[in-house]
Amino acid sequence: MESHRRVANDGSAATASIAGVAEPVSNLNGHRHAAPMDQGPFYEASQRILTTVNTVIDGKSDAAKLALTVLLAQGHLLLEDVPGVGKTLLAKTLARTIDCSVNRIQFTPDLLPSDVTGVSIFNQSSGLFEFRPGAVFANIVIGDEINRASAKTQSALLECMEEHQVTVDGNSYQLDEPFMVVATQNPIEMEGTYPLPEAQRDRFMARISMGYPDKDAEIEMLETHQAASPLARVKAVVTAAEVAAMIATVQQVYVSQAVKEYTVSVGRATRESTLLRLGASPRSMLQLLRAAKATAALDGRDFVLPDDVMQVAEAVLAHRIILDRKAAGAGETPHSVLRGILSRLPVPQEPAGSEPVSAVAGLGRNR
């Protein structure tokens, strides 16, 4: 039986066994301090994941890469678009490519917070309350149509996503690492939806809008998906140890002082913009830099360039900022405002002949 760490309210840690927890599928918790990968194995593992996802999701290679970026940056992913464009399929496919535990939660208006986090049940034979963990106790949690649940149920994920723990009846239980929530949501103008509050949206590292596939991709889908779903053939292509090592590699990607200052400048520019009522939070700056580090690693570099920050800025920041009413009435969107900010901000330049300091010996210096 899996033993989860229970953290007392005074901050001291204790070990407690949770009744009713199934045997873990993953050994990721045994690789908390995995060594970073060299460039070759990292590239091969990432390509295996992307190739598998792209065989299932036609014409959405950018979305697949961003989903992997969020996973390696230890963030959470929000997939937003109309029904039927492959949001849940992308989430399921990514989860199946990785050798780890996966749970799926179908969010509905009658879903309770305890259905997500778990509940304490009185055991008459022992005379004690036993904690029965909810669906959130997994390495990857797929939250389908998250904005169909009430705000009370949505808020059950706040502590899970930020602190990777669940608190029930005064006891805190640690979640397995790594922990990632991949949530899908329908556009807010559709019936039966509850808008995600700002605090909830801020917990997601990035948001992807899937969009409709192009004509060729849709024809390919009709040819390959009509007999059976390709998801049924998806197998895990990376081990738990490889996932942990890939995350460790991303963590050690070097970030220069100039890139840090540029990242902060992007965030401060959103707060000072007259087109926005709410700018990017300090948390979003940290997640922007983490996503940029993962992007650099996937591109074969052990250092972050300003281009990496610019590449993920819209996906990381657009769902966190709120337009001013006048700007919204004038046709502005969060994406258009961010593009304008990025186009105006000066990009730091490296002095002639200088090289970024290397932090991970194995990764290359492809520019």
Side-chain angles (χ1 to χ4, degrees), residues 63-329:
K65 182 178 180 181
L66 185 56
L68 179 58
T69 298
V70 173
L71 171 66
L72 298 182
Q74 294 183 291
H76 307 290
L77 181 64
L78 182 61
L79 302 170
E80 181 183 44
D81 220 312
V82 296
V85 294
K87 302 186 301 296
T88 305
L89 189 60
L90 173 59
K92 287 183 175 180
T93 305
L94 177 65
R96 288 198 181 187
T97 62
I98 302 163
D99 179 23
C100 64
S101 57
V102 181
N103 280 339
R104 179 178 178 270
I105 308 173
Q106 179 64 56
F107 282 79
T108 56
D110 60 347
L111 190 73
L112 299 176
S114 58
D115 296 328
V116 177
T117 59
V119 64
S120 294
I121 299 176
F122 184 73
N123 188 326
Q124 292 184 348
S125 60
S126 65
L128 300 173
F129 280 93
E130 295 180 351
F131 178 65
R132 302 287 175 150
V136 79
F137 282 85
N139 294 120
I140 296 181
V141 177
I142 301 173
D144 205 8
E145 297 183 306
I146 187 174
N147 61 338
R148 288 190 61 207
S150 65
K152 183 177 182 180
T153 301
Q154 291 177 14
S155 66
L157 285 173
L158 290 175
E159 181 185 18
C160 306
M161 296 172 68
E162 181 65 19
E163 302 175 37
H164 292 195
Q165 69 177 26
V166 169
T167 301
V168 178
D169 295 335
N171 293 319
S172 296
Y173 302 90
Q174 291 294 126
L175 298 172
D176 290 344
E177 295 291 347
F179 173 70
M180 179 184 185
V181 173
V182 183
T184 71
Q185 73 167 354
N186 298 325
I188 191 58
E189 60 269 14
M190 301 191 71
E191 294 184 8
T193 60
Y194 299 82
L196 290 180
E198 288 81 1
Q200 186 80 50
R201 293 201 306 268
D202 200 45
R203 295 303 199 276
F204 287 97
M205 174 175 285
R207 181 184 65 181
I208 299 175
S209 181
M210 296 290 290
Y212 291 107
D214 58 32
K215 180 180 178 180
D216 293 338
E218 203 158 6
I219 292 174
E220 178 69 18
M221 180 190 70
L222 294 179
E223 293 177 350
T224 59
H225 294 199
Q226 58 177 323
S229 172
L231 184 63
R233 300 189 298 270
V234 174
K235 304 294 183 183
V237 295
V238 291
T239 65
E242 286 175 319
V243 173
M246 293 174 75
I247 291 174
T249 302
V250 169
Q251 290 175 340
Q252 297 196 25
V253 170
Y254 175 75
V255 183
S256 68
Q257 184 65 27
V259 172
K260 293 177 184 176
E261 293 176 357
Y262 176 71
T263 304
V264 171
S265 297
V266 173
R268 296 183 69 86
T270 65
R271 300 168 204 158
E272 297 167 359
S273 174
T274 58
L275 300 176
L276 299 177
R277 180 160 54 92
L278 178 67
S281 66
R283 179 193 287 117
S284 65
M285 294 299 95
L286 179 60
Q287 297 201 351
L288 177 59
L289 198 57
R290 288 176 178 172
K293 291 170 67 174
T295 300
L298 288 173
D299 287 345
R301 282 179 280 105
D302 64 348
F303 57 89
V304 177
L305 295 176
D307 287 349
D308 299 320
V309 178
M310 296 174 67
Q311 183 175 336
V312 295
E314 288 186 42
V316 174
L317 301 180
H319 63 289
R320 305 170 189 269
I321 62 179
I322 299 178
L323 288 172
D324 180 81
R325 293 182 184 273
K326 292 183 178 179

